[in-house]
Amino acid sequence: MTDTERVLVGRESTPEPPGVGSSTLGQVLQLDELNEYTGRRGVVVLSSAGKRSAMRKDGFSVFPAVPGLISETLRILRPGAFVLDGNALDEGPWAGAMTDAAPELLAELTEAVETARDLKLPIYWLGEVPADPEHPLVPLAEHLLVVTPGSELYEGTVEGAPPSRLVRVLRTIAS
């Protein structure tokens, strides 16, 4: 009997746990196996827990945008959209991203927007886009679909086309 014919039993037959030898936390967590987040109803959201909860109540599978994992999460999960809440950049884990206090967070946010753009994901921004041309958000603004009172997405189209379910939820959250 050769080694290939030998039946493995006991400890030898136990498969390795997922992520052994992986170099990234996303691989260790096996995010790509979480099919509930993949697709149009799955969204990666940089927002407060309350706003994420409101989206879940409306039937969306919400995955929080976590510093250190955001770009990898977008690449692995391939969600239907990426949602950024301007207010969430003032407090919580993303606090300081728009100031000199945490330039690494701004760099990560910029990379995440580029990743989402490369994956052809819609990127929704909740809140006002700063008018100051020196604001760190200005270079990202051209890639954002702004949902705030007075914006085109908030007010609706001239033709009266019904908004997507996600846009309706975002309008409610933004108001």
Side-chain angles (χ1 to χ4, degrees), residues 40-41 43 54-61 81 83 124 147 153 161-173:
R40 289 181 27 192
R41 297 306 289 279
V43 290
M55 292 181 74
R56 281 189 190 101
K57 286 179 184 174
D58 260 308
F60 288 91
S61 297
V83 179
Y124 295 98
V147 182
L153 271 178
S164 70
R165 184 174 182 164
L166 178 58
V167 170
R168 286 194 310 264
V169 171
L170 295 178
R171 283 178 182 171
T172 305
I173 291 172

Side-chain angles (χ1 to χ4, degrees), residues 95-166:
M98 293 295 138
T99 67
D100 293 337
E104 69 281 0
L105 290 177
L106 177 60
E108 187 173 354
L109 182 61
T110 303
E111 179 187 344
V113 168
E114 289 172 5
T115 299
R117 202 177 94 228
D118 291 345
L119 295 171
K120 296 179 177 40
L121 297 177
I123 307 165
Y124 295 98
W125 175 263
L126 302 179
E128 296 289 332
V129 176
D132 176 17
E134 297 299 316
H135 194 277
L137 180 66
V138 171
L140 304 178
E142 67 180 281
H143 308 295
L144 306 175
L145 300 169
V146 180
V147 182
T148 190
S151 71
E152 186 177 323
L153 271 178
Y154 191 86
E155 301 301 328
T157 63
V158 177
E159 298 84 16
S164 70
R165 184 174 182 164
L166 178 58

Side-chain angles (χ1 to χ4, degrees), residues 5 42 54 78 102 159:
E5 296 172 358
R78 305 282 176 136
E159 298 84 16

Side-chain angles (χ1 to χ4, degrees), residues 26-27 29-35 38 63 72-73 76-77:
Q27 289 173 330
L29 295 174
Q30 295 295 304
L31 295 177
D32 55 343
E33 292 179 3
L34 301 176
N35 293 331
T38 305
F63 196 87
E72 183 174 359
T73 301
I76 292 174
L77 291 181

